[in-house]
Amino acid sequence: MRPAAFFIAVGAFVLAAFSAAPAHAQLSEGGGPVSYSADNLEYFDGDRRLVLVGDVDIVQNDARLRADRITLYFSQSTSGAAQGAQAGLGSGDIERMIAEGEVYYVRPSQSARGNRAVYEVAQDAVTFTGNVVVASDENVIRGETLVLQIGNRRTTIRPTPGQRVRGVFVPRNNPQAGSGN
């Protein structure tokens, strides 16, 4: 795989990870139910904030998000006034999600890792920070910050100050690609 193709593939991977419409945060391209487990759960109704702490594991279809702590911020319920009295634990759409402490996002043959990840639905962007590693098959990119602007389909990886972004890509054996050169 050529270097440009690898970076496009990495961008596509991260884009697919968070490619839902801006009103609905998704972990998986196909959407669907989200299951979670954690050592502790605390919900702050006035803030519409759900905090999952301790070996947090969130799964949706073939996608998994793991972290030490994940905080979800919800918008007001969009289901109408009839459900107003029923609003509570995790009602409404996710506006923002913050994952902290050894954050891992994994899909089949693709993964991203960092110390923190913030997904802002309104900005249509996700940012991984702290020792970021993005891998697709045998290809790897390392940096300090990964910013994905989903709507613009733009991926930026920045190094730690004074260092450089590093990566390794493994070309596929493609005999047809070399026959014309």
Side-chain angles (χ1 to χ4, degrees):
M1 183 181 290
R2 294 176 301 155
F6 171 63
F7 290 112
I8 291 168
V10 168
F13 153 66
V14 179
L15 181 65
F18 296 94
S19 65
H24 305 288
Q26 302 277 344
L27 292 177
S28 173
E29 286 181 66
V34 175
S35 63
Y36 62 88
S37 64
D39 293 339
N40 292 296
L41 176 152
E42 191 167 4
Y43 183 71
F44 300 87
D45 196 34
D47 298 335
R48 294 182 309 280
R49 177 172 46 116
L50 175 66
V51 180
L52 302 166
V53 179
D55 196 22
V56 181
D57 189 16
I58 298 178
V59 177
Q60 185 181 42
N61 294 326
D62 64 352
R64 168 171 262 141
L65 177 65
R66 294 186 57 112
D68 297 332
R69 175 187 182 104
I70 297 177
T71 304
L72 303 165
Y73 294 86
F74 295 91
S75 65
Q76 290 284 44
S77 179
T78 56
S79 302
Q83 213 179 20
Q86 306 261 335
L89 185 61
S91 61
D93 293 326
I94 295 172
E95 288 182 338
R96 187 165 123 203
M97 179 170 38
I98 301 173
E100 300 170 291
E102 293 299 318
V103 178
Y104 293 92
Y105 178 78
V106 180
R107 295 188 58 202
S109 76
Q110 300 169 326
S111 64
R113 180 188 105 37
N115 297 336
R116 188 170 197 260
V118 178
Y119 177 45
E120 296 279 357
V121 176
Q123 281 75 37
D124 203 19
V126 62
T127 302
F128 276 81
T129 55
N131 197 24
V132 175
V133 179
V134 179
S136 179
D137 296 319
E138 297 177 52
N139 305 306
V140 179
I141 297 178
R142 296 173 187 273
E144 182 62 20
T145 304
L146 163 73
V147 178
L148 173 65
Q149 296 169 337
I150 297 167
N152 296 338
R153 301 182 70 90
R154 179 178 178 180
T155 301
T156 305
I157 299 177
R158 295 187 192 108
T160 301
Q163 295 186 11
R164 298 169 56 106
V165 172
R166 299 180 324 257
V168 174
F169 69 94
V170 179
R172 292 186 184 162
N173 292 334
N174 187 350
Q176 295 176 353
S179 63
N181 295 336

